[in-house]
Amino acid sequence: MTPFTIHPGQLSLADIEATLATDTHFALSEACQADIEAAQATIQGILDARRTVYGVNTGFGLLAQKRIPPEALRDLQTNLVLSHAAGTGPMLPDETVRLILLLKINSLARGFSGVRPVVLDYLLTLLNHNVLPQIPAQGSVGASGDLAPLAHLSCALIGVGNVSVEGTIIPATEALASVGLEPLVLEPKEGLALLNGTQVSTALALRGLFGATDVFAAALVAGAMSVDAAMGSDTPFDPRIHAVRGHPGQQDCAAAYRQLLEGSAIRLSHTACEKVQDPYSLRCQPQVMGACLDQMRYVATVLEREANAVSDNPLVFSDENDVLSGGNFHAEPVALAADALAVALAEIGALAERRIAVLIDTHLSGLPAFLVENGGVHSGFMIAQVTAAALASENKSLAHPASVDSLPTSANQEDHVSMATFAARRLGPMVENTATIVAIELLAAAQGIDFRKPMLSSEPLRQAHAHIREQVLFYDRDRLFAPDIEAIKNLVLQGAFSDTAFSVPTLAV
């Protein structure tokens, strides 16, 4: 196992992605222990002084005005977890649950939540032993935090519900015993600290961002291949054009297209051709993809910040002996970021689908109709483009912003909510859809480049072409198409086109 020390509040996106992709053993920095203990001591001091503080010795939501007697405080926390575990729908993937656990540990360990160190020990044990709570995907409106899904996570700590261990579903009590733990008895404030927070919506959005990053890289490579396959011009990528507009993403993407196409013999073969302009889907790639890159960078900034945030309520400020009730659980930043990423994904897919349409149209590309010889007998890429169009259209519906919707909950106490959890959850299907569209374009562009032989493309695009041909042979006659699409989609999602050899700009500004 690779060891990784969590320094609360200092996780980077690179840390998160790398640790979740490997067999990692997590530990908390010793430096955070004093803050955790100080916050818990503040809670104990409130109880000892018999002060009334929301979430510590009161009811919740609309019942916040009701004071709870000391003998009922443990029941209060347990009942909170059980009553809020009201989720529904399919279970979240194990990879997402691992990320939720990591984010929850990172947040609670900052020392503003008032939980005992043992709570963090339990969470770390679950994470390190891959004891992953079964969390239904539906049931959160993204304020007050991700209550229902985090309640299902918390159920595992108290020995309720089921967990996944190496893909096998077993009772939580059995799983706890297998790692040497008894069901945890929650003390005042701990149930609320576990349930409040944006970790589920943030984890879903982060997984969407990581997938979108690989799709974006593949779409850049596919777009450059399509330019060469269609014998398009590289003049629209001239840096002077993009410098006078000034958008950084646009300039970075134009530079990537220049590097991807540099040295192409196909391009050199038609520098003196009479064609004046290419279709927008070829010519305006830096403008469209650059705008998507700028959005993705904004999303990355928001999600990295939220991954390190303290988002439960109330918050404990032990230096001042204060417990303050606010609204950090409201996931509007995540909702808006997820909506922005959804729009970017839809545009990446829409542009790729249009380039496929150019390539299969012999009048626009100069290639055989539908990219196959002996057309009529063979239909070639005809229906593959229809599949791309269907997915691009589906993405348009999925891209409708979730954050503009709100339904009041808790008897109008919680009268504006973010819908961040759905905003983030729908990114998964959008990443799959867009990866499939880009895979079809990669197949089409590789086919087109093969038709340009003996002329060769650039070195980077020949590498990309080789990646494709290692998985899928030249389409010389009609055959079952779906496995070819699936094979290249898997390459896209595995990040095969994110390699530095392809000059793809990063999310760093």
Side-chain angles (χ1 to χ4, degrees):
M1 277 193 175
T2 304
F4 182 85
T5 300
I6 301 169
H7 297 277
Q10 298 179 39
L11 284 177
S12 69
L13 295 185
D15 288 337
I16 295 169
E17 191 168 20
T19 55
L20 292 174
T22 57
D23 193 9
T24 303
H25 184 274
F26 295 91
L28 269 177
S29 166
E30 289 293 329
C32 71
Q33 296 299 323
D35 290 335
I36 296 168
E37 292 169 4
Q40 200 278 321
T42 299
I43 296 298
Q44 189 59 51
I46 288 169
L47 295 169
D48 293 343
R50 295 185 177 275
R51 288 169 53 194
T52 301
V53 174
Y54 170 72
V56 178
N57 49 17
T58 71
F60 308 106
L62 197 65
L63 303 175
Q65 307 307 316
K66 184 174 178 60
R67 178 165 181 159
I68 309 300
E71 63 273 14
L73 291 180
R74 284 181 172 174
D75 287 344
L76 174 69
Q77 299 301 311
T78 301
N79 292 342
L80 176 71
V81 171
L82 296 176
S83 66
H84 284 50
T88 189
M91 299 299 143
L92 292 176
D94 285 353
E95 295 84 358
T96 301
V97 177
R98 280 177 53 78
L99 180 48
I100 295 167
L101 283 168
L102 175 60
L103 297 182
K104 179 53 84 173
I105 292 165
N106 188 45
S107 179
L108 294 180
R110 287 191 59 186
F112 296 97
S113 302
V115 302
R116 292 168 297 156
V118 68
V119 175
L120 288 154
D121 292 342
Y122 267 61
L123 290 169
L124 277 166
T125 301
L126 296 190
L127 179 58
N128 284 328
H129 288 85
N130 278 315
V131 176
L132 304 174
Q134 289 281 278
I135 302 177
Q138 295 171 284
S140 174
V141 295
S144 165
D146 294 315
L147 291 173
L150 287 174
H152 284 276
L153 179 146
S154 304
C155 277
L157 300 178
I158 64 174
V160 174
N162 294 325
V163 299
S164 171
V165 180
E166 304 300 335
T168 301
I169 308 305
I170 62 174
T173 49
E174 182 181 327
L176 289 175
S178 73
V179 294
L181 298 177
E182 295 181 354
L184 182 64
V185 177
L186 297 174
E187 295 291 347
K189 177 70 169 67
E190 291 177 343
L192 187 57
L194 286 163
L195 267 59
N196 255 188
T198 63
Q199 287 77 36
V200 175
S201 51
T202 304
L204 288 164
L206 281 168
R207 291 205 67 202
L209 176 64
F210 296 150
T213 303
D214 289 332
V215 171
F216 176 86
L220 272 178
V221 174
M225 289 182 70
S226 290
V227 169
D228 239 12
M231 299 187 80
S233 173
D234 59 1
T235 298
F237 310 139
D238 189 295
R240 293 168 291 181
I241 295 172
H242 308 286
V244 297
R245 197 175 197 188
H247 292 297
Q250 178 178 328
Q251 293 179 78
D252 290 346
C253 286
Y257 287 118
R258 291 194 301 273
Q259 292 173 51
L260 285 166
L261 288 161
E262 186 177 3
S264 167
I266 298 174
R267 173 64 189 123
L268 292 173
S269 73
H270 61 95
T271 51
C273 71
E274 296 182 358
K275 186 164 62 173
V276 178
Q277 291 183 329
D278 294 321
Y280 287 1
S281 59
L282 299 179
R283 187 181 1 145
C284 299
Q285 289 186 79
Q287 288 80 1
V288 178
M289 293 293 282
C292 293
L293 178 59
D294 285 338
Q295 288 297 298
M296 290 170 65
R297 286 170 170 170
Y298 149 71
V299 172
T301 299
V302 171
L303 295 184
E304 184 172 85
R305 191 179 295 134
E306 193 69 15
N308 289 290
V310 181
S311 56
D312 61 289
N313 186 64
L315 298 178
V316 181
F317 296 90
S318 53
D319 288 349
E320 298 86 8
N321 198 33
D322 269 341
V323 178
L324 304 179
S325 184
N328 279 3
F329 51 71
H330 200 297
E332 193 78 1
V334 179
L336 291 172
D339 282 345
L341 183 56
V343 171
L345 278 165
E347 284 297 89
I348 293 166
L351 194 67
E353 184 279 324
R354 287 293 80 205
R355 292 192 297 266
I356 299 166
V358 168
L359 293 176
I360 66 172
D361 186 336
T362 188
H363 302 293
L364 290 174
S365 66
L367 295 164
F370 302 108
L371 300 173
V372 69
E373 294 171 332
N374 198 13
V377 175
H378 300 291
S379 296
F381 280 68
M382 181 187 295
I383 303 304
Q385 185 267 329
V386 173
T387 296
L391 296 178
S393 182
E394 185 175 305
N395 273 353
K396 293 175 188 177
S397 295
L398 287 171
H400 183 279
S403 58
V404 299
D405 186 26
S406 178
L407 281 173
T409 60
S410 194
N412 284 311
Q413 173 75 2
E414 298 162 4
D415 59 348
H416 182 276
V417 298
S418 70
M419 298 300 178
T421 321
F422 170 68
R425 181 163 51 84
R426 60 78 138 87
L427 295 174
M430 292 191 73
V431 167
E432 290 278 332
N433 287 348
T434 310
T436 305
I437 297 168
V438 172
I440 294 169
E441 184 189 3
L442 287 164
L443 287 167
Q447 187 82 356
I449 284 173
D450 282 334
F451 278 122
R452 300 300 182 191
K453 290 179 179 178
M455 293 183 294
L456 297 177
S457 189
S458 65
E459 176 60 30
L461 296 186
R462 289 202 300 275
Q463 287 185 41
H465 183 275
H467 278 325
I468 296 163
R469 286 290 173 251
E470 285 169 4
Q471 301 292 322
V472 175
L473 298 176
F474 177 76
Y475 201 88
D476 59 345
R477 64 186 64 229
D478 283 344
R479 62 174 183 256
L480 183 63
F481 214 126
D484 294 350
I485 297 171
E486 193 68 17
I488 305 307
K489 182 185 83 170
N490 289 337
L491 276 187
V492 171
L493 294 174
Q494 291 162 10
F497 301 97
S498 302
D499 189 274
T500 53
F502 299 119
S503 310
V504 175
T506 68
L507 295 182
V509 179

